């Protein structure tokens, strides 16, 4: 790890963020949050987990605004989502006494650092980022345009990471390019002004992109029917999988005459869930059953639903028990306390960065 060479005494820092856009889902959980819990519980790292509420605002459409329309981001809903997200993280198993939980917006120095990093960044690098192109394309399909913050999204992400001198970044596979860019920013700054930023590493127990149940790409909050949320009951999980879209390529197996219609698991979206939530026995059962037409698609989907529910049930129960006025008040307090501590660290580092650049607070 490049970062270790810089400072062998301090504890390594784990950092990751998540946008408060509604309840967490299985994709967030398997891709990232599960690793956050594990890394926190190891007790070896200083852990920083934050609500990326400034990043969340990039979903606003500048084009709508120019036409004099409202963006659809409701401040009251956003507030509730942020508090709810803290409860989601606690339900997943993150202990706020062991990790700092805070909101990005509590630390204005991050946007100062973002500005410094933006001066190292060619516009073409940002325009070429897959995430930007994809989101911009989707907005344009809906007849609206991307705002400037969407373009500079990775610069703020790099500031989130470098602002606490983070070493280890547990994220889903879709964030790899963003972390790669943050690594480049650390190197660029260090080359120009001297060593300040460790070069962070992505952390993935397994590089994951959990697909949407309805075959609409990766699981995400914008496709509720294709996502399993922390709050979904066992019945809802079963229903969502029973309606799951199976085939990604070949025509799906027939339901009425399934005994005479063997399938091809390699092209089945439902089958791909066995890799994510099943044991090797579960996977072999489904593979042999599908190829040999000894099980129906309904049986296969029901088995996946059971496996998913086994993961979600304890989280769902904890989440329900946290959903009280007291629980919500505690979540706000956690954000307040976490924010104070995280901001203290960022202030120190950004002050140093500004001094190195030659723009101290005169
Ligand atoms: P966000 O809110 O989109 O997602 C939060 C985390 O969940 C992972 N994830 C998935 N993993 C696998 N399969 C899926 N279907 C899936 N959907 C989401 C994401 O990879 C992510 O780890 N830009 C970030 C937030 C952020 C951040 C940062 C992260 C802002 N600054 C600094 C790390 C470091 C985001 O929007 O994540």
């Amino acid at each position: 790890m490049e970062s270790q060479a810089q400072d062998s005494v301090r504890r390594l820092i784990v950092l990751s963020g998540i946008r408060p856009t509604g309840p967490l889902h299985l994709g967030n959980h398997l891709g990232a949050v599960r690793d956050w819990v594990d890394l926190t519980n190891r007790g070896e790292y200083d852990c920083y987990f934050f609500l990326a509420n400034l990043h969340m605002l990039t979903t606003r459409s500048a084009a709508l605004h120019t036409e004099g329309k409202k963006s659809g981001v409701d401040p009251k809903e956003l507030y509730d989502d942020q508090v709810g997200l803290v409860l989601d993280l606690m339900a997943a198993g993150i202990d706020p006494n062991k990790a700092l939980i805070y909101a990005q917006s509590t630390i204005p120095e991050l946007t100062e650092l973002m500005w410094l990093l933006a001066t190292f960044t060619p516009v073409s690098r940002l325009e070429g980022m897959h995430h930007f192109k994809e989101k911009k394309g989707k907005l344009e399909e809906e007849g609206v345009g991307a705002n400037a913050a969407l373009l500079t999204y990775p610069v703020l992400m790099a500031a989130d990471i470098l602002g606490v001198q983070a070493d280890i970044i547990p994220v889903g596979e879709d964030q790899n390019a963003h972390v790669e860019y943050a690594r480049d920013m650390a190197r660029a700054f260090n080359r120009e002004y001297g060593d300040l930023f460790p070069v962070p590493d992505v952390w993935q127990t397994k590089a994951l992109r959990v697909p949407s149940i309805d075959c609409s790409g990766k699981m995400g909050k914008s496709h509720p029917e294709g996502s399993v949320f922390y709050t979904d009951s066992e019945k809802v999980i079963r229903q969502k999988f029973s309606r799951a879209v199976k085939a990604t390529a070949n025509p799906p197996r027939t339901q009425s005459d399934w005994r005479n219609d063997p399938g091809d698991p390699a092209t089945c979206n439902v089958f791909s869930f066995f890799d994510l939530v099943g044991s090797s026995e579960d996977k072999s059962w489904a593979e042999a059953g599908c190829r040999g037409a000894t099980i129906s698609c309904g049986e296969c989907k029901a088995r996946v639903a059971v496996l998913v529910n086994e993961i979600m049930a304890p989280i769902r129960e904890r989440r329900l028990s946290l959903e009280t006025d007291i629980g919500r008040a505690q979540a706000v307090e956690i954000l307040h306390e976490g924010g104070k501590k995280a901001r203290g660290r960022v202030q120190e580092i950004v002050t140093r960065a500004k001094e190195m650049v030659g723009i101290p607070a005169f």
Side-chain angles (χ1 to χ4, degrees):
M1 197 180 286
E2 277 176 74
S3 50
Q4 272 174 329
Q6 306 210 3
D7 189 346
S8 54
V9 211
R10 74 171 172 89
R11 273 155 67 93
L12 292 179
I13 292 182
V14 169
L15 170 134
S16 200
I18 197 154
R19 284 170 304 138
T21 46
L24 289 187
H25 53 75
L26 186 69
N28 297 130
H29 188 71
L30 299 180
V33 176
R34 182 173 62 162
D35 283 344
W36 300 9
V37 176
D38 173 44
L39 289 164
T40 305
N41 289 341
R42 288 185 193 194
E44 291 166 35
Y45 307 114
D46 288 343
C47 295
Y48 291 68
F49 301 123
F50 65 93
L51 318 188
N53 51 6
L54 298 178
H55 279 114
M56 190 271 154
L57 295 177
T58 58
T59 47
R60 276 200 178 136
S61 166
L64 278 182
H65 191 65
T66 346
E67 286 166 20
K69 292 182 190 153
K70 283 192 151 195
S71 67
V73 180
D74 174 33
K76 162 87 177 67
E77 227 173 84
L78 175 53
Y79 183 88
D80 287 346
D81 282 347
Q82 290 170 86
V83 176
L85 183 46
V86 175
L87 300 181
D88 279 359
L89 293 176
M90 288 165 70
I94 302 213
D95 179 349
N97 296 312
K98 294 188 190 158
L100 289 187
I101 301 180
Y102 58 99
Q104 193 179 37
S105 59
T106 312
I107 311 180
E109 291 76 13
L110 290 175
T111 41
E112 268 189 278
L113 180 57
M114 174 190 172
W115 185 265
L116 294 187
L117 300 176
T119 65
F120 282 86
T121 308
V123 174
S124 57
R125 172 94 193 251
L126 298 176
E127 284 171 336
M129 300 287 276
H130 177 70
H131 179 267
F132 174 70
K133 289 199 283 197
E134 192 186 296
K135 292 242 161 162
K136 181 168 175 272
K138 274 201 189 130
L139 283 168
E140 281 167 359
E141 267 170 35
E142 290 162 22
V144 291
N147 55 35
L150 191 67
L151 181 68
T152 52
Y153 189 109
V155 193
L156 180 57
M157 234 179 109
D160 295 328
I161 295 171
L162 305 186
V164 304
Q165 292 180 320
D167 306 280
I168 298 170
I169 320 296
V171 281
E173 198 190 25
D174 61 316
Q175 300 295 322
N176 285 2
H178 290 151
V179 180
E180 193 53 49
Y181 162 79
R183 288 165 62 83
D184 289 346
M185 286 302 100
R187 293 191 190 104
F189 186 99
N190 293 347
R191 201 166 39 238
E192 181 85 16
Y193 298 112
D195 274 357
L196 178 62
F197 298 121
V199 178
D201 286 306
V202 157
W203 176 280
Q204 276 149 1
T205 310
K206 196 171 168 190
L208 284 185
R209 182 180 291 254
V210 178
S212 176
I213 306 177
D214 59 5
C215 260
S216 59
K218 91 175 162 129
M219 188 176 283
K221 289 156 197 163
S222 49
H223 295 278
E225 274 311 301
S227 304
V228 177
F229 296 106
Y230 277 11
T231 41
D232 285 349
S233 65
E234 181 178 3
K235 186 171 166 210
V236 168
I237 295 177
R238 223 181 312 120
Q239 278 170 348
K240 283 184 174 173
F241 276 100
S242 73
R243 293 191 210 111
V245 180
K246 293 168 279 184
T248 49
N250 293 345
R253 294 171 68 198
T254 48
Q255 281 188 40
S256 50
D257 192 20
W258 57 265
R259 284 188 184 79
N260 292 313
D261 188 13
D264 177 7
T267 61
C268 180
N269 193 41
V270 174
F271 180 73
S272 66
F273 277 86
F274 284 100
D275 266 336
L276 301 167
V277 296
S279 63
S280 53
E281 289 81 37
D282 290 315
K283 193 177 166 190
S284 311
W285 168 82
E287 188 158 24
C290 179
R291 286 198 198 287
T294 55
I295 58 167
S296 68
C297 292
E299 279 173 83
C300 189
K301 288 170 169 183
R303 180 71 194 136
V304 174
V306 166
L307 292 169
V308 168
N309 188 57
E310 276 171 13
I311 296 173
M312 300 309 252
I315 300 174
R316 181 172 62 233
E317 274 158 34
R318 280 195 296 271
R319 180 64 182 82
L320 283 173
S321 71
L322 289 165
E323 187 55 68
T324 60
D325 287 347
I326 295 177
R328 292 210 148 233
Q330 276 169 350
V332 174
E333 190 54 27
I334 286 166
L335 288 175
H336 180 70
E337 286 304 315
K340 263 200 298 197
K341 290 185 189 143
R343 185 175 183 196
R345 177 159 182 92
V346 175
Q347 274 174 329
E348 239 175 69
I349 293 158
V350 174
T351 301
R352 261 160 76 194
K354 286 169 66 183
E355 283 166 1
M356 287 166 89
V357 169
I359 51 159
F362 287 104

